[in-house]
Amino acid sequence: MLQVSLIGSGNLAHQLLVALRDLTGVDLVEVTARNTEAIDLLDNDIPLNSDFSKLRPADIYILAVSDAAISPVSEQLGDLPGMLAHTSGSVPMNALMHENRGVFYPLQTFTKGKVVDFSKIPICIEASSRTGMDTLNQLAQKLSEKVTELPSNQRRQLHLAAVMANNFTNHIFYWAERFCIENQLDFTLLHPLIEETVAKMKAVGPFDAQTGPARRGDLNTLQHQLEAMPTPELKQLYQYLSNSIQNTYGKEL
């Protein structure tokens, strides 16, 4: 039985709590958070702790806190009988102040209250020793169908790609929704298009999946749509993305 201690109370900590509490071969020995009221244990049998200096013995301590809190919290943990692993995509492993350290990075966006299927989430792991890597791999394999060993430099590049694919894309969805609302349009009419865009991208790759006026070099449509953008910010965004698409496919705007 692999003993796991979970430290944190944010979105990812809650998702890991749900995933780990009933996982075969894993004993969630404790959840630790400075603000214990932010934790919904869902199971009264799991001990709840608020003192970082008094952790129960475990094989793996998962530090699921904000990037800025990783080093300060790790300094408060003292000597641990097991390995300490943070969950960040952009923070190097060496930010942890423990000899037996690692990274346990689930590559997904998390929102408290929306349960995810960890079996479909890639988990990237790194450790300061081969033994530590084997321990992290043992846990990751119980959670996910796709486990990848990545050093800090590659993980940080992967996280940057994730920001572009998720955060930037979602922000464009926000602007599209806002544009629809301001023009008395139902944003849900775009949902099938969004779903097909992702499905096609997965099937043929983003380069071949690209369509639209910029891809076709349709200058008249591009100019009309640019003039219809309601704010300077949206005009700038539209023009920049259109230029980028045209440059990618060898056409000039």
Side-chain angles (χ1 to χ4, degrees):
M1 184 73 72
L2 192 62
Q3 294 186 315
V4 178
S5 177
L6 181 60
I7 304 169
S9 60
N11 293 340
L12 178 53
H14 275 266
Q15 295 289 350
L16 285 170
L17 169 60
V18 173
L20 293 172
R21 64 183 176 132
D22 298 321
L23 193 62
T24 302
V26 170
D27 177 20
L28 184 56
V29 300
E30 184 177 50
V31 176
T32 301
R34 185 72 74 195
N35 180 14
T36 56
E37 294 181 358
I39 287 287
D40 179 8
L41 286 178
L42 310 173
D43 185 344
N44 292 331
D45 292 335
I46 302 174
L48 183 60
N49 174 40
S50 62
D51 189 342
F52 290 148
S53 66
K54 297 179 180 179
L55 300 181
R56 293 169 181 252
D59 299 306
I60 303 174
Y61 297 84
I62 298 180
L63 186 57
V65 298
S66 68
D67 289 2
I70 288 174
S71 290
V73 171
S74 70
E75 290 177 346
Q76 300 177 50
L77 299 182
D79 294 331
L80 298 173
M83 77 174 307
L84 177 65
H86 73 64
T87 57
S88 171
S90 60
V91 176
M93 180 178 64
N94 291 338
L96 298 174
M97 308 301 173
H98 292 71
E99 182 177 354
N100 190 6
R101 59 186 180 268
V103 177
F104 190 86
Y105 170 49
L107 180 53
Q108 184 56 278
T109 177
F110 296 98
T111 301
K112 191 179 296 185
K114 186 180 185 303
V115 178
V116 298
D117 181 2
F118 264 89
S119 69
K120 305 302 181 184
I121 297 175
I123 297 179
C124 304
I125 59 174
E126 181 182 11
S128 56
S129 68
R130 186 67 250 175
T131 300
M133 190 73 83
D134 291 342
T135 302
L136 285 181
N137 188 60
Q138 182 183 351
L139 176 61
Q141 292 285 353
K142 292 178 182 297
L143 276 173
S144 173
E145 297 171 358
K146 185 169 182 60
V147 179
T148 303
E149 296 183 12
L150 278 184
S152 289
N153 61 327
Q154 285 189 294
R155 176 168 38 81
R156 294 173 77 174
Q157 297 304 316
L158 181 63
H159 180 263
L160 177 54
V163 167
M164 290 187 278
N166 173 242
N167 304 134
F168 291 173
T169 303
N170 188 73
H171 189 62
I172 292 176
F173 291 157
Y174 159 77
W175 277 111
E177 180 185 46
R178 181 170 162 178
F179 185 82
C180 284
I181 292 172
E182 291 174 353
N183 288 276
Q184 292 81 52
L185 296 167
D186 182 1
F187 177 67
T188 63
L189 292 172
L190 296 179
H191 285 186
L193 173 65
I194 293 170
E195 292 167 2
E196 176 59 19
T197 298
V198 174
K200 185 168 62 171
M201 177 275 297
K202 291 168 67 176
V204 303
F207 183 87
D208 290 330
Q210 186 71 54
T211 60
R215 173 68 176 88
R216 298 191 303 270
D218 185 346
L219 300 183
N220 287 332
T221 298
L222 286 170
Q223 187 60 38
H224 289 318
Q225 291 185 344
L226 181 63
E227 293 171 356
M229 291 292 102
T231 67
E233 184 177 8
L234 267 184
K235 286 181 184 291
Q236 184 179 21
L237 180 63
Y238 183 93
Q239 188 152 32
Y240 179 83
L241 291 176
S242 295
N243 283 335
S244 181
I245 292 170
Q246 293 234 329
N247 290 336
T248 298
Y249 295 92
K251 294 181 173 61
E252 294 183 358
L253 183 59

